[in-house]
Amino acid sequence: MSTNTTEKALEACIERYLTGGVIDTPVKEGVMQEPTPDYGGKGYSRGRASDFNSEFAIDEAKFWQFLESTQAAELAKLHYKPDWKRQILERLHRKLKKDGILAVLKKGLDVDNAHFDLLYRLPYNDLNPDVTAKFESNVFSVTRQVYFSSVDQKSVDMVIFLNGLPLATLELKNPWTGQNVNHAKKQYRDDRDPKETLFQFKRCLVHFAVDPDEVWMTTKLDGKSTYFLPFNQGLPNGQGKGNPVNPNGHKSAYLWQEILTRHSLSNIIEHYAKLTVEKDKAGKSKETLYFPRYQQLQVVRLLLADVQEKGLGLRYLIQHSAGSGKSHSITWLGYQLVALYDKP
């Protein structure tokens, strides 16, 4: 039996881990068969490419599924309008364009006298079962080969959605086909138009370039000026950049096994990702969207876990390279230490 070494195999690997299943049987003319929605694995549903609305850059099926199952009473307030669904999508579109995905997820959406929560937050502890139940009602999904343009048939390899809203896009490459993560970065720079709704600034939290060995990220597509940062673990004992050997699979598997889980992404949205506005010397405002790098997440999460396990009063020495975001790591840690609960 031959081994599948194409990008499709890497797509299937990620999808299988997150959802617990995969359908990758090709049909005529090389088009992939639409997957049947599933729920398993790490709590993700499988999305269908046909459910993606490129005009609003949203998985409509998952968006309405979430609202109808969690906030039917709020939807009912708008049913008197013949085009109420369209009005919600248009209001959401304007809000996302103005304030960005983070603000919409954290503050929700107001349409006339109706208010919609678009993210139920991660519970801090197990004391309130209602909070836990609400979090579990969030619909995390992953969709392969998302056709993002209404003009042509270009598609991005994978998109991660939360309640129908895109959180991350992934371009995947496989060295067995003569391409690697650098080709994925080039594809984002040369072939992903920042004017397309899905790729507009603030519409997604992050865009990942991925191959079996490395992961790079950017929060802003800007044509050939797009700047990528490494999202790699680094080699042990200060040996350098990249990722260590993974005896159980791809070196880059930590991305979907650790970072893209429901718990991890929710935690990043609430405590790490942020949009800042600064003015330059000419008084012109500049917006920057921050998504934590791997080592920043790792140091903060390890410290929080250790403090929760061993209590206060210990001292820690952290090795941090120059320019790796020490100030952000300290800030993220400080804010979360204040809200840390004792381990039950």
Side-chain angles (χ1 to χ4, degrees):
M1 181 177 179
S2 61
T3 302
N4 188 347
T5 57
T6 66
E7 284 75 28
K8 292 291 187 291
L10 190 53
E11 285 180 30
C13 177
I14 297 172
E15 183 185 42
R16 184 178 295 109
Y17 182 83
L18 294 175
T19 71
V22 64
I23 295 179
D24 56 0
T25 304
V27 294
K28 292 182 180 180
E29 300 180 358
V31 178
M32 302 301 294
Q33 179 178 324
E34 289 280 1
T36 302
D38 192 19
Y39 191 84
K42 298 302 174 182
Y44 268 72
S45 298
R46 276 181 281 165
R48 297 184 301 183
S50 58
D51 290 333
F52 183 74
N53 183 323
S54 60
E55 178 185 2
F56 298 111
I58 190 173
D59 183 323
E60 275 205 72
K62 296 294 187 292
F63 179 72
W64 296 121
Q65 173 191 335
F66 170 70
L67 290 184
E68 288 166 0
S69 64
T70 62
Q71 298 161 78
E74 293 300 303
L75 287 175
K77 294 178 181 179
L78 303 175
H79 284 179
Y80 69 93
K81 298 184 177 184
D83 59 345
W84 61 274
K85 283 192 172 184
R86 178 78 187 183
Q87 287 199 23
I88 291 176
L89 292 178
E90 289 178 347
R91 183 68 61 84
L92 175 63
H93 180 67
R94 292 194 297 270
K95 192 71 173 175
L96 285 167
K97 189 171 184 177
K98 178 179 181 290
D99 298 332
I101 182 67
L102 269 178
V104 169
L105 288 175
K106 291 183 176 183
K107 298 179 182 179
L109 178 70
D110 293 314
V111 183
D112 294 345
N113 64 332
H115 174 81
F116 302 103
D117 292 315
L118 297 177
L119 164 67
Y120 287 126
R121 298 196 171 197
L122 193 67
Y124 291 108
N125 52 49
D126 299 326
L127 299 178
N128 191 333
D130 290 337
V131 175
T132 300
K134 279 192 171 184
F135 173 74
E136 292 301 327
S137 68
N138 287 315
V139 181
F140 285 80
S141 62
V142 57
T143 305
R144 296 168 60 178
Q145 296 303 315
V146 173
Y147 291 86
F148 54 82
S149 175
S150 59
V151 178
D152 53 44
Q153 286 298 300
K154 292 180 179 179
S155 63
V156 62
D157 288 333
M158 303 191 86
V159 180
I160 300 295
F161 294 92
L162 169 56
N163 300 326
L165 302 179
L167 293 182
T169 71
L170 292 83
E171 287 291 358
L172 311 175
K173 300 299 175 186
N174 197 319
W176 287 98
T177 63
Q179 294 188 317
N180 57 32
V181 72
N182 292 316
H183 294 86
K185 289 189 280 185
K186 186 176 187 300
Q187 188 170 25
Y188 272 122
R189 290 188 178 111
D190 298 347
D191 204 34
R192 299 294 177 252
D193 187 353
K195 295 180 182 178
E196 291 284 356
T197 306
L198 180 62
F199 298 123
Q200 290 175 3
F201 179 56
K202 301 185 294 186
R203 202 75 185 213
C204 283
L205 287 181
V206 64
H207 306 279
F208 288 113
V210 187
D211 70 15
D213 296 328
E214 292 195 31
V215 182
W216 289 68
M217 72 170 191
T218 184
T219 59
K220 183 178 182 179
L221 295 184
D222 191 23
K224 295 186 181 300
S225 299
T226 302
Y227 183 71
F228 281 89
L229 287 168
F231 195 81
N232 296 313
Q233 296 173 297
L235 297 179
N237 303 317
Q239 296 180 57
K241 62 184 180 179
N243 288 305
V245 173
N246 178 4
N248 299 313
H250 300 307
K251 292 181 180 179
S252 58
Y254 62 91
L255 175 64
W256 53 93
Q257 294 180 359
E258 180 182 339
I259 303 302
L260 298 182
T261 63
R262 292 167 60 98
H263 187 288
S264 174
L265 275 180
S266 299
N267 177 250
I268 289 171
I269 291 169
E270 294 178 33
H271 297 295
Y272 296 88
K274 64 177 182 177
L275 181 70
T276 64
V277 182
E278 299 176 348
K279 290 187 177 181
D280 58 20
K281 294 181 179 179
K284 185 178 180 181
S285 295
K286 177 186 177 182
E287 292 183 311
T288 303
L289 179 59
Y290 288 95
F291 190 91
R293 297 172 68 178
Y294 181 82
Q295 80 273 5
Q296 293 174 308
L297 276 175
Q298 184 187 45
V299 71
V300 175
R301 287 176 172 177
L302 287 175
L303 284 170
L304 289 171
D306 199 73
V307 170
Q308 190 173 52
E309 180 72 30
K310 298 177 182 177
L312 303 177
L314 298 178
R315 295 183 178 183
Y316 299 87
L317 177 63
I318 303 164
Q319 185 175 356
H320 233 308
S321 58
S324 57
K326 295 184 290 294
S327 298
H328 287 303
S329 300
I330 294 169
T331 302
W332 288 324
L333 175 62
Y335 276 113
Q336 292 181 74
L337 280 173
V338 172
L340 195 65
Y341 282 79
D342 291 333
K343 188 173 181 180

